[in-house]
Amino acid sequence: MDNTESVNADPGTSVNNEGRFRNFRNQCGFWLLGLCNNFAYVVMLSAAHDILNQQESQNVTVPTPAPGLLQSQSGNGNNTSRYDCNPVSTAAVLLADIIPTLVIKLTAPFYIHKVPYGFRVLFCVATATTSFLVVSFSSTVWMSILGVIFASVSSGLGELSFLSLTVFFSNNVLSGWGSGTGGAGVAGAFLYSALTQAGLSPRITLLIMLLVPVVMLISYFLLLAFPPAFPQWRPREASNGGSQERRPLMWDDHDDDDVQENQPPGPLTFKGRLHILKDLLRFIVPLAVVYFAEYFINQGLLELLYFQKSFLSHAEQYRWYQTLYQIGVLISRTSLFCFKIRRIWLLSFLQCMNAVLLLLAVYFQFLPSVWLVFVIVLYEGLLGGAAYVNIFYLISKETGDREKEFAMAAASVGDSFGIALSGALAIPVHNYFCSL
């Protein structure tokens, strides 16, 4: 009798173990996809100060400093401003990094379903590789900006595609994706800071990072365990069989709480997509506000918060600002495994308070030490990461199964819209302070 019960229990145990292993593979796969997708984007922002400083110095004849003017050995000798400004704000790099992403996120949700996921990923890998190569071998600022644009295209298309892809897997892959995007910030900013501070040139550092697109390719095609009917190389309409009922696209993991239900047949109409987009504004607006405030800080104010008495040079201070911000993002995006936050407007308000505080600090220069700025920037990253991952979690829970794939892609425009606005504001703010 005992032997019979043991034999009868084995198939169920085997299925459960197989399902858990498959979920683990998928969660790891989405973590790596989030890491690789945002990596080039983060590195370009971390390298923004170096890109502008190094190449402007190649194209500008540095004048002999006038007697009595305060000069910093590690600063930018091309100006006499107390802020040690670059001739071009790092917000110029931010705009090149975000505008292509914004255009993609505004338009792609209405047509990207016609492009199979496999082709999308190959395109993301190709553009990310191109971005590293172009920036590393660039000889002018605008050639570097072109490389940054390639990184933006890769990141924008990848983000909306992978967020849409999560609806075909169990719910926990969204946590893996969020944590991975936060990990990209830490890995990208920290590795760039560490390698350049260790003596490697920015060019060699960027060439080393060509390994990242390769990891993305392996993670998607070899690590993820796709559902049997997943349309890897076919458009979604072709895989739906016209008006016939869809085949199940989800694995049956015998866990109704973890696996999302299939979408009903029939593609969404253009009018239907616009209606969904209108309903998503309650998520998109607070996400845009959070990212507007934090990227106004990151690319508009942090390069102006230069402490001359610190043992760190201006470029090193800027790189570590970016690194600490990304550490905060990683911690808060990983927090979805532990707790959820529903009051997303509170996060938006607190981030705006951070922006006001640091704007006043730039003007009045009342902060006594770079270490205090490090703490504020870490807190800023915690708020931004928490807003991102909790908003997409709420969308995944509160959107119907039929609309979920479109909603996840369309809502991603919120952060890009806020970042683009912050970049447009940061340039005149930079020019104003550097004229003082």
Side-chain angles (χ1 to χ4, degrees):
M1 185 67 176
D2 292 338
N3 290 339
T4 302
E5 291 178 355
S6 177
V7 170
N8 291 336
D10 284 342
T13 302
S14 176
V15 169
N16 288 335
N17 289 337
E18 182 181 349
R20 282 193 292 266
F21 178 68
R22 187 164 53 243
N23 284 338
F24 177 74
R25 278 183 58 186
N26 289 332
Q27 196 163 354
C28 290
F30 272 93
W31 191 91
L32 287 171
L33 289 173
L35 178 77
C36 296
N37 186 71
N38 284 27
F39 197 90
Y41 172 85
V42 170
V43 167
M44 296 307 166
L45 293 185
S46 297
H49 192 279
D50 291 341
I51 290 172
L52 296 171
N53 192 34
Q54 176 179 320
Q55 292 172 355
E56 287 291 346
S57 66
Q58 292 173 355
N59 297 323
V60 176
T61 302
V62 180
T64 303
L69 287 177
L70 180 62
Q71 298 289 329
S72 169
Q73 268 188 334
S74 56
N76 178 14
N78 297 336
N79 70 86
T80 59
S81 168
R82 60 178 175 172
Y83 296 103
D84 189 47
C85 299
N86 274 308
V88 181
S89 169
T90 55
V93 177
L94 174 65
L95 286 175
D97 218 353
I98 201 60
I99 288 178
T101 293
L102 178 61
V103 171
I104 289 172
K105 289 183 177 181
L106 280 172
T107 60
F110 295 96
Y111 61 80
I112 198 64
H113 57 282
K114 299 179 183 293
V115 181
Y117 279 96
F119 290 119
R120 296 190 218 176
V121 173
L122 291 177
F123 185 78
C124 291
V125 169
T127 48
T129 302
T130 303
S131 73
F132 285 123
L133 290 172
V134 170
V135 174
S136 62
F137 289 107
S138 66
S139 56
T140 66
V141 170
W142 295 110
M143 186 175 176
S144 292
I145 296 297
L146 177 63
V148 171
I149 290 173
F150 278 110
S152 176
V153 171
S154 175
S155 176
L157 178 61
E159 182 176 17
L160 68 89
S161 295
F162 293 131
L163 281 171
S164 297
L165 188 67
T166 61
V167 308
F168 298 108
F169 297 85
S170 58
N171 285 331
N172 58 14
V173 299
L174 184 58
S175 302
W177 164 263
S179 179
T181 55
V186 175
F190 178 80
L191 283 177
Y192 184 83
S193 299
L195 291 175
T196 52
Q197 197 159 339
L200 291 179
S201 68
R203 171 176 295 180
I204 298 300
T205 301
L206 290 174
L207 289 175
I208 290 173
M209 293 178 181
L210 283 170
L211 290 173
V212 173
V214 177
V215 175
M216 174 186 279
L217 203 64
I218 294 172
S219 301
Y220 181 80
F221 287 105
L222 299 182
L223 186 55
L224 290 184
F226 291 95
F230 181 75
Q232 185 71 269
W233 303 107
R234 303 187 310 279
R236 288 292 306 280
E237 285 87 349
S239 66
N240 290 343
S243 62
Q244 296 178 2
E245 187 175 356
R246 296 184 185 182
R247 291 181 59 192
L249 291 176
M250 313 293 288
W251 286 104
D252 181 8
D253 289 333
H254 302 283
D255 188 349
D256 292 336
D257 293 330
D258 287 341
V259 180
Q260 303 165 16
E261 296 178 0
N262 300 321
Q263 300 174 354
L268 292 170
T269 64
F270 181 79
K271 184 177 180 180
R273 291 171 189 269
L274 289 178
H275 181 74
I276 296 170
L277 194 59
K278 181 181 177 181
D279 291 340
L280 288 172
L281 288 177
R282 62 193 175 101
F283 298 112
I284 293 174
V285 173
L287 184 64
V289 171
V290 167
Y291 274 80
F292 167 79
E294 70 185 74
Y295 274 84
F296 176 69
I297 294 171
N298 290 355
Q299 306 304 129
L301 301 179
L302 291 185
E303 67 172 322
L304 303 175
L305 286 167
Y306 170 44
F307 295 85
Q308 296 183 6
K309 295 182 180 180
S310 172
F311 69 94
L312 296 171
S313 70
H314 192 178
E316 290 167 347
Q317 288 178 38
Y318 179 83
R319 288 197 294 265
W320 286 109
Y321 288 150
Q322 299 297 330
T323 302
L324 288 167
Y325 161 75
Q326 298 295 349
I327 289 174
V329 171
L330 171 61
I331 294 171
S332 57
R333 289 195 180 186
T334 306
S335 68
L336 193 61
F337 289 106
C338 305
F339 60 88
K340 282 79 178 176
I341 301 174
R342 299 190 65 88
R343 296 180 179 179
I344 51 181
W345 276 106
L346 176 61
L347 301 175
S348 303
F349 173 77
L350 293 174
Q351 198 69 288
C352 290
M353 292 301 97
N354 275 344
V356 171
L357 171 65
L358 291 179
L359 178 62
L360 294 174
V362 169
Y363 187 80
F364 294 105
Q365 296 187 318
F366 58 79
L367 293 179
S369 169
V370 69
W371 297 102
L372 182 56
V373 181
F374 285 165
V375 173
I376 296 173
V377 169
L378 179 66
Y379 169 62
E380 173 209 347
L382 289 172
L383 292 177
Y388 178 92
V389 74
N390 281 280
I391 283 174
F392 281 105
Y393 173 79
L394 291 174
I395 292 172
S396 71
K397 286 297 185 182
E398 298 181 14
T399 307
D401 290 334
R402 183 168 181 257
E403 298 85 8
K404 192 172 297 182
E405 184 181 5
F406 170 79
M408 295 292 281
S412 66
V413 74
D415 59 351
S416 299
F417 185 73
I419 294 170
L421 285 180
S422 71
L425 178 62
I427 291 177
V429 168
H430 169 274
N431 293 339
Y432 169 76
F433 281 111
C434 291
S435 67
L436 296 179

